[in-house]
Structures are given as C-alpha cells and as structure tokens.
Amino acid sequence: QVQLKESGGGLVQPGGSLRLSCAASGSISSIDRMAWYRQAPGKQREFIASVTRGGNTLYDASVKGRFTISRDNAKNTIYLQMNSLKPEDTAVYYCNDVSATWMSGSWGQGTQVTVSS
C-alpha cells in the first residue's frame, strides 16, 4: 500500500481559501477512488469529497460548491481546493484510498486546518 502525506494546512480567516495536497509514495493510477476526509475535535472522521482515476467527483453536501477535489495521476497527488472557509471546517484533514479506509494503518498524520478570526 502506498504511503500518503498531507500538507498545505494552516490558519485562515473565515471566507478565506486554502489548498491541500496529498502526495503518495507510489503510483495511484491503479487506485479507483481517492478521497479527502476530516476529523474535528471530539468528532468522528467524516467523508468530504472523492475523485476517481477518471476524474469523476463526489462531494459531501457540507462542502459542495466550496471545495474542489482534483487528482494528478502523473504526479501521484490529489488536491483539495477549499474556498469560502467557515469555522466549522476546522479539523485535521486526511486523504486515503477509499477502499483502504477500514485499515487503521492506511491513514497518514493529516494536516491541520484552522478557520478562525
């Protein structure tokens, strides 16, 4: 299984934007669907958005219209462009192969996103 490393998180004001990256140690071309998840303090990890190797996307209603997930198979990287950020978007963001989420060892350390004024 490939190793994933999230980056790009930080502190941003409400209404601001942030772009997250998820770099894989190996090829992701064989992975059908990759996704972004997030976990806020005291809450369970939740699905945000996914993208297939062909570019088909799905979004949770909470981020639809504000976030955009993309994938660059050649660079073995997926991205999450976050716009119009809200305080409730504050969480640790993770990426993963959708089919591997059941494996605890498949998760990286994530990247912290804090939306606050």
mmCIF file of all heavy atoms in Angstrom, residues 7-34:
data_model
loop_
_atom_site.group_PDB
_atom_site.id
_atom_site.type_symbol
_atom_site.label_atom_id
_atom_site.label_comp_id
_atom_site.label_asym_id
_atom_site.label_seq_id
_atom_site.Cartn_x
_atom_site.Cartn_y
_atom_site.Cartn_z
ATOM 1 N N SER A 7 -0.453 17.839 3.220
ATOM 2 C CA SER A 7 0.214 19.099 3.508
ATOM 3 C C SER A 7 -0.651 20.256 3.027
ATOM 4 O O SER A 7 -1.619 20.065 2.303
ATOM 5 C CB SER A 7 1.587 19.161 2.831
ATOM 6 O OG SER A 7 1.471 19.117 1.420
ATOM 7 N N GLY A 8 -0.285 21.453 3.428
ATOM 8 C CA GLY A 8 -0.997 22.642 2.992
ATOM 9 C C GLY A 8 -1.937 23.257 4.002
ATOM 10 O O GLY A 8 -2.511 24.316 3.751
ATOM 11 N N GLY A 9 -2.100 22.612 5.135
ATOM 12 C CA GLY A 9 -2.992 23.144 6.145
ATOM 13 C C GLY A 9 -2.409 24.367 6.817
ATOM 14 O O GLY A 9 -1.245 24.707 6.628
ATOM 15 N N GLY A 10 -3.237 25.021 7.606
ATOM 16 C CA GLY A 10 -2.785 26.203 8.302
ATOM 17 C C GLY A 10 -3.938 26.975 8.888
ATOM 18 O O GLY A 10 -5.067 26.487 8.947
ATOM 19 N N LEU A 11 -3.644 28.174 9.318
ATOM 20 C CA LEU A 11 -4.650 29.058 9.899
ATOM 21 C C LEU A 11 -5.146 30.032 8.841
ATOM 22 O O LEU A 11 -4.346 30.687 8.163
ATOM 23 C CB LEU A 11 -4.053 29.827 11.076
ATOM 24 C CG LEU A 11 -4.940 30.884 11.740
ATOM 25 C CD1 LEU A 11 -6.161 30.228 12.366
ATOM 26 C CD2 LEU A 11 -4.135 31.637 12.790
ATOM 27 N N VAL A 12 -6.451 30.112 8.705
ATOM 28 C CA VAL A 12 -7.047 31.008 7.724
ATOM 29 C C VAL A 12 -8.302 31.645 8.305
ATOM 30 O O VAL A 12 -8.978 31.046 9.146
ATOM 31 C CB VAL A 12 -7.376 30.247 6.417
ATOM 32 C CG1 VAL A 12 -8.441 29.179 6.672
ATOM 33 C CG2 VAL A 12 -7.823 31.197 5.323
ATOM 34 N N GLN A 13 -8.596 32.852 7.880
ATOM 35 C CA GLN A 13 -9.785 33.546 8.355
ATOM 36 C C GLN A 13 -11.036 33.057 7.636
ATOM 37 O O GLN A 13 -10.962 32.552 6.522
ATOM 38 C CB GLN A 13 -9.639 35.052 8.142
ATOM 39 C CG GLN A 13 -8.526 35.689 8.950
ATOM 40 C CD GLN A 13 -8.472 37.196 8.791
ATOM 41 O OE1 GLN A 13 -8.997 37.754 7.834
ATOM 42 N NE2 GLN A 13 -7.840 37.864 9.729
ATOM 43 N N PRO A 14 -12.191 33.196 8.277
ATOM 44 C CA PRO A 14 -13.441 32.794 7.618
ATOM 45 C C PRO A 14 -13.564 33.496 6.271
ATOM 46 O O PRO A 14 -13.272 34.685 6.151
ATOM 47 C CB PRO A 14 -14.512 33.262 8.594
ATOM 48 C CG PRO A 14 -13.838 33.168 9.923
ATOM 49 C CD PRO A 14 -12.435 33.651 9.652
ATOM 50 N N GLY A 15 -13.992 32.736 5.266
ATOM 51 C CA GLY A 15 -14.121 33.293 3.937
ATOM 52 C C GLY A 15 -12.868 33.135 3.109
ATOM 53 O O GLY A 15 -12.882 33.375 1.897
ATOM 54 N N GLY A 16 -11.803 32.710 3.744
ATOM 55 C CA GLY A 16 -10.543 32.540 3.054
ATOM 56 C C GLY A 16 -10.438 31.237 2.295
ATOM 57 O O GLY A 16 -11.375 30.446 2.267
ATOM 58 N N SER A 17 -9.282 31.023 1.696
ATOM 59 C CA SER A 17 -9.048 29.827 0.898
ATOM 60 C C SER A 17 -7.764 29.123 1.308
ATOM 61 O O SER A 17 -6.851 29.728 1.856
ATOM 62 C CB SER A 17 -8.963 30.189 -0.590
ATOM 63 O OG SER A 17 -10.166 30.761 -1.059
ATOM 64 N N LEU A 18 -7.721 27.850 1.001
ATOM 65 C CA LEU A 18 -6.562 27.036 1.308
ATOM 66 C C LEU A 18 -6.530 25.884 0.319
ATOM 67 O O LEU A 18 -7.586 25.390 -0.089
ATOM 68 C CB LEU A 18 -6.660 26.509 2.735
ATOM 69 C CG LEU A 18 -5.382 26.299 3.551
ATOM 70 C CD1 LEU A 18 -4.570 27.578 3.630
ATOM 71 C CD2 LEU A 18 -5.750 25.828 4.953
ATOM 72 N N ARG A 19 -5.347 25.463 -0.052
ATOM 73 C CA ARG A 19 -5.210 24.332 -0.959
ATOM 74 C C ARG A 19 -4.393 23.237 -0.300
ATOM 75 O O ARG A 19 -3.231 23.451 0.051
ATOM 76 C CB ARG A 19 -4.528 24.759 -2.260
ATOM 77 C CG ARG A 19 -4.544 23.679 -3.349
ATOM 78 C CD ARG A 19 -3.601 24.027 -4.471
ATOM 79 N NE ARG A 19 -3.771 23.170 -5.637
ATOM 80 C CZ ARG A 19 -2.793 22.818 -6.459
ATOM 81 N NH1 ARG A 19 -1.562 23.264 -6.253
ATOM 82 N NH2 ARG A 19 -3.044 22.047 -7.510
ATOM 83 N N LEU A 20 -4.997 22.084 -0.145
ATOM 84 C CA LEU A 20 -4.328 20.955 0.467
ATOM 85 C C LEU A 20 -3.795 20.007 -0.593
ATOM 86 O O LEU A 20 -4.381 19.864 -1.663
ATOM 87 C CB LEU A 20 -5.283 20.184 1.376
ATOM 88 C CG LEU A 20 -6.016 20.978 2.461
ATOM 89 C CD1 LEU A 20 -6.845 20.024 3.317
ATOM 90 C CD2 LEU A 20 -5.034 21.760 3.315
ATOM 91 N N SER A 21 -2.687 19.367 -0.277
ATOM 92 C CA SER A 21 -2.096 18.400 -1.185
ATOM 93 C C SER A 21 -1.919 17.074 -0.467
ATOM 94 O O SER A 21 -1.709 17.040 0.741
ATOM 95 C CB SER A 21 -0.725 18.880 -1.680
ATOM 96 O OG SER A 21 -0.837 20.058 -2.439
ATOM 97 N N CYS A 22 -2.014 16.005 -1.208
ATOM 98 C CA CYS A 22 -1.806 14.669 -0.673
ATOM 99 C C CYS A 22 -0.886 13.951 -1.632
ATOM 100 O O CYS A 22 -1.295 13.586 -2.741
ATOM 101 C CB CYS A 22 -3.136 13.930 -0.547
ATOM 102 S SG CYS A 22 -2.975 12.189 -0.094
ATOM 103 N N ALA A 23 0.344 13.789 -1.214
ATOM 104 C CA ALA A 23 1.343 13.142 -2.055
ATOM 105 C C ALA A 23 1.501 11.674 -1.683
ATOM 106 O O ALA A 23 1.658 11.340 -0.512
ATOM 107 C CB ALA A 23 2.678 13.863 -1.920
ATOM 108 N N ALA A 24 1.469 10.828 -2.672
ATOM 109 C CA ALA A 24 1.628 9.396 -2.461
ATOM 110 C C ALA A 24 3.055 8.965 -2.751
ATOM 111 O O ALA A 24 3.712 9.514 -3.635
ATOM 112 C CB ALA A 24 0.667 8.620 -3.353
ATOM 113 N N SER A 25 3.521 7.987 -2.006
ATOM 114 C CA SER A 25 4.883 7.499 -2.189
ATOM 115 C C SER A 25 5.031 6.649 -3.441
ATOM 116 O O SER A 25 6.140 6.442 -3.933
ATOM 117 C CB SER A 25 5.317 6.694 -0.965
ATOM 118 O OG SER A 25 4.491 5.555 -0.787
ATOM 119 N N GLY A 26 3.905 6.160 -3.935
ATOM 120 C CA GLY A 26 3.925 5.341 -5.123
ATOM 121 C C GLY A 26 2.810 5.726 -6.066
ATOM 122 O O GLY A 26 2.109 6.711 -5.848
ATOM 123 N N SER A 27 2.652 4.944 -7.093
ATOM 124 C CA SER A 27 1.627 5.219 -8.092
ATOM 125 C C SER A 27 0.214 5.107 -7.527
ATOM 126 O O SER A 27 -0.085 4.206 -6.750
ATOM 127 C CB SER A 27 1.782 4.256 -9.263
ATOM 128 O OG SER A 27 0.756 4.434 -10.212
ATOM 129 N N ILE A 28 -0.640 6.029 -7.939
ATOM 130 C CA ILE A 28 -2.037 5.986 -7.521
ATOM 131 C C ILE A 28 -2.930 5.692 -8.719
ATOM 132 O O ILE A 28 -4.153 5.690 -8.605
ATOM 133 C CB ILE A 28 -2.508 7.315 -6.873
ATOM 134 C CG1 ILE A 28 -2.399 8.474 -7.878
ATOM 135 C CG2 ILE A 28 -1.718 7.603 -5.617
ATOM 136 C CD1 ILE A 28 -3.068 9.749 -7.399
ATOM 137 N N SER A 29 -2.297 5.455 -9.854
ATOM 138 C CA SER A 29 -3.053 5.202 -11.075
ATOM 139 C C SER A 29 -3.943 3.974 -10.982
ATOM 140 O O SER A 29 -4.957 3.883 -11.670
ATOM 141 C CB SER A 29 -2.113 5.080 -12.275
ATOM 142 O OG SER A 29 -1.222 3.996 -12.125
ATOM 143 N N SER A 30 -3.559 3.022 -10.147
ATOM 144 C CA SER A 30 -4.335 1.802 -10.001
ATOM 145 C C SER A 30 -5.445 1.917 -8.961
ATOM 146 O O SER A 30 -6.263 1.020 -8.822
ATOM 147 C CB SER A 30 -3.421 0.627 -9.646
ATOM 148 O OG SER A 30 -2.792 0.830 -8.402
ATOM 149 N N ILE A 31 -5.451 3.021 -8.234
ATOM 150 C CA ILE A 31 -6.467 3.244 -7.212
ATOM 151 C C ILE A 31 -7.681 3.896 -7.852
ATOM 152 O O ILE A 31 -7.589 4.995 -8.396
ATOM 153 C CB ILE A 31 -5.932 4.133 -6.075
ATOM 154 C CG1 ILE A 31 -4.715 3.481 -5.427
ATOM 155 C CG2 ILE A 31 -7.029 4.380 -5.044
ATOM 156 C CD1 ILE A 31 -4.045 4.327 -4.362
ATOM 157 N N ASP A 32 -8.796 3.227 -7.767
ATOM 158 C CA ASP A 32 -10.004 3.725 -8.411
ATOM 159 C C ASP A 32 -10.472 5.059 -7.845
ATOM 160 O O ASP A 32 -10.659 6.024 -8.586
ATOM 161 C CB ASP A 32 -11.124 2.700 -8.306
ATOM 162 C CG ASP A 32 -12.398 3.174 -8.983
ATOM 163 O OD1 ASP A 32 -12.311 3.796 -10.058
ATOM 164 O OD2 ASP A 32 -13.496 2.930 -8.440
ATOM 165 N N ARG A 33 -10.674 5.105 -6.548
ATOM 166 C CA ARG A 33 -11.209 6.314 -5.931
ATOM 167 C C ARG A 33 -10.421 6.724 -4.698
ATOM 168 O O ARG A 33 -10.247 5.942 -3.771
ATOM 169 C CB ARG A 33 -12.675 6.106 -5.562
ATOM 170 C CG ARG A 33 -13.377 7.339 -5.043
ATOM 171 C CD ARG A 33 -14.846 7.056 -4.755
ATOM 172 N NE ARG A 33 -15.611 6.841 -5.968
ATOM 173 C CZ ARG A 33 -16.142 7.820 -6.710
ATOM 174 N NH1 ARG A 33 -15.984 9.091 -6.361
ATOM 175 N NH2 ARG A 33 -16.827 7.515 -7.800
ATOM 176 N N MET A 34 -9.974 7.968 -4.711
ATOM 177 C CA MET A 34 -9.290 8.531 -3.568
ATOM 178 C C MET A 34 -10.155 9.638 -3.006
ATOM 179 O O MET A 34 -10.965 10.232 -3.728
ATOM 180 C CB MET A 34 -7.914 9.073 -3.957
ATOM 181 C CG MET A 34 -6.952 7.988 -4.388
ATOM 182 S SD MET A 34 -5.227 8.542 -4.429
ATOM 183 C CE MET A 34 -4.900 8.701 -2.660
#
